[in-house]
Amino acid sequence: MDPVGAVSVLAALGLDLAAGEWPARYHPVVAYGRVIEHSRRVPVSPGVLGVAIAVILPIGAGGIAYGITEWVSGLDPILGAGFAALALFSTTSLRMLVDEAQSVIIASEGDLELARRILPALAGRDPDTLTSGELRSAAVESAAENLADGLVSPLVGFAIGATVSLPLAVAGTVWVKAVNTGDSMLGYESNPLGWGSARLDDAVQWLPARLTAGLLAAVSVRPGALRRARAWARVPRSPNAGWPMATLAAIIDVQLRKPHAYRLNPDAALPSTPDAGRGIDLVNRGGLLAYLATGGIVWV
């Protein structure tokens, strides 16, 4: 039983609901991104450098987080819980994800140009030719995928580490976020540095993606959606992202598509504004359940 760790999880949820996100200039993940950018200039072969960035930098970030948590906890357990809450707040995101997705959906109803300007902060695709339905689809897809990458996976890292100690829980969540950040920055096909980050992130996200699909099915009280999602989950090239996206497509019974890439639930229509809003509401509820379930698991 780790009541301190459980309190840290609930405090992180409170910070997320109250503040949403760190200011960008002070955000620890943004600082880690700058470290990756500087590391790209090290004069070694791309293959070696890419693996080093994928493996060594996340271990270093996790090690620093472990050391600070252990030191602060030694001063006072309450301070340790507070630092753990800040670490979780820094590595997870729910309110900002939901707000950005809702902004795209609302704008798609009457101002396509605004929706297209907002979308790149949420989804990595060219928005210029997307229809209103495709913009809403992109918002729903990205919300589902980012629920797994940006919330459930760091919480899984925290819960696993908490079975040993609070410092290891913080190290786990920081390590997971560092791996995912490396993939986000480098893990695309044209980048010779990205192979290691992409493959490691695929491995790390395997369980969280499937847990996220289960969370969405649970909050919608639609367990049968997982069976329907199985038919489409492997359509996207990512081995993981298809699970939460396909599950949400099944729950709200809409087509989610990325032009020239994939169609999930292809016989359905693209999401209307109410459909998309319902999807984002489920993402929000799934995120809240993820926090509460992690707190309960850590407590027990």
Side-chain angles (χ1 to χ4, degrees):
M1 180 181 292
D2 182 10
V4 173
V7 168
S8 298
V9 174
L10 296 180
L13 169 59
L15 287 169
D16 182 86
L17 295 176
E21 199 77 27
W22 287 88
R25 66 182 296 184
Y26 302 116
H27 203 303
V29 176
V30 174
Y32 182 77
R34 288 196 290 267
V35 173
I36 291 177
E37 282 296 326
H38 288 302
S39 299
R40 297 175 68 171
R41 305 188 186 115
V42 176
V44 298
S45 70
V48 172
L49 182 57
V51 171
I53 291 173
V55 175
I56 295 174
L57 290 186
I59 290 175
I64 292 169
Y66 181 97
I68 294 174
T69 309
E70 186 171 44
W71 174 66
V72 173
S73 297
L75 296 175
D76 189 312
I78 295 176
L79 291 177
F83 181 78
L86 285 173
L88 264 176
F89 172 56
S90 301
T91 55
T92 57
S93 179
L94 180 60
R95 176 181 156 185
M96 184 176 179
L97 171 64
V98 168
D99 287 350
E100 288 183 345
Q102 288 176 334
S103 295
V104 173
I105 292 165
I106 292 168
S108 73
E109 186 74 13
D111 192 341
L112 290 186
E113 290 307 310
L114 176 60
R116 288 165 179 158
R117 287 199 301 272
I118 299 171
L119 184 66
L122 186 66
R125 66 188 67 176
D126 182 2
D128 291 344
T129 60
L130 297 182
T131 65
S132 58
E134 288 170 338
L135 287 163
R136 290 189 288 269
S137 175
V140 173
E141 293 165 53
S142 296
E145 181 181 2
N146 283 306
L147 178 62
D149 292 351
L151 180 63
V152 174
S153 59
L155 288 173
V156 168
F158 188 91
I160 292 172
T163 61
V164 178
S165 68
L166 184 64
L168 196 60
V170 175
T173 197
V174 169
W175 179 80
V176 167
K177 188 63 178 181
V179 168
N180 183 247
T181 302
D183 176 57
S184 298
M185 294 182 64
L186 304 176
Y188 41 92
E189 293 180 354
S190 61
N191 190 343
L193 298 178
W195 182 88
S197 294
R199 297 291 77 77
L200 181 57
D201 188 65
D202 285 345
V204 168
Q205 299 297 337
W206 190 93
L207 178 60
R210 287 150 182 84
L211 288 175
T212 302
L215 286 168
L216 292 170
V219 296
S220 66
V221 199
R222 295 280 301 276
L226 294 172
R227 287 195 302 274
R228 291 187 66 200
R230 187 181 295 275
W232 315 311
R234 296 179 178 84
V235 174
R237 295 185 62 179
S238 166
N240 300 315
W243 279 100
M245 293 193 299
T247 302
L248 198 52
I251 292 168
I252 60 177
D253 198 23
V254 298
Q255 179 184 150
L256 298 179
R257 77 174 181 229
K258 182 177 182 179
H260 314 298
Y262 56 76
R263 292 173 183 250
L264 310 179
N265 197 5
D267 296 329
L270 286 167
S272 65
T273 299
D275 291 332
R278 190 156 57 95
I280 302 309
D281 179 63
L282 288 169
V283 167
N284 187 47
R285 288 157 55 191
L288 294 173
L289 179 58
Y291 276 114
L292 295 176
T294 303
I297 291 167
V298 171
W299 181 283
V300 173

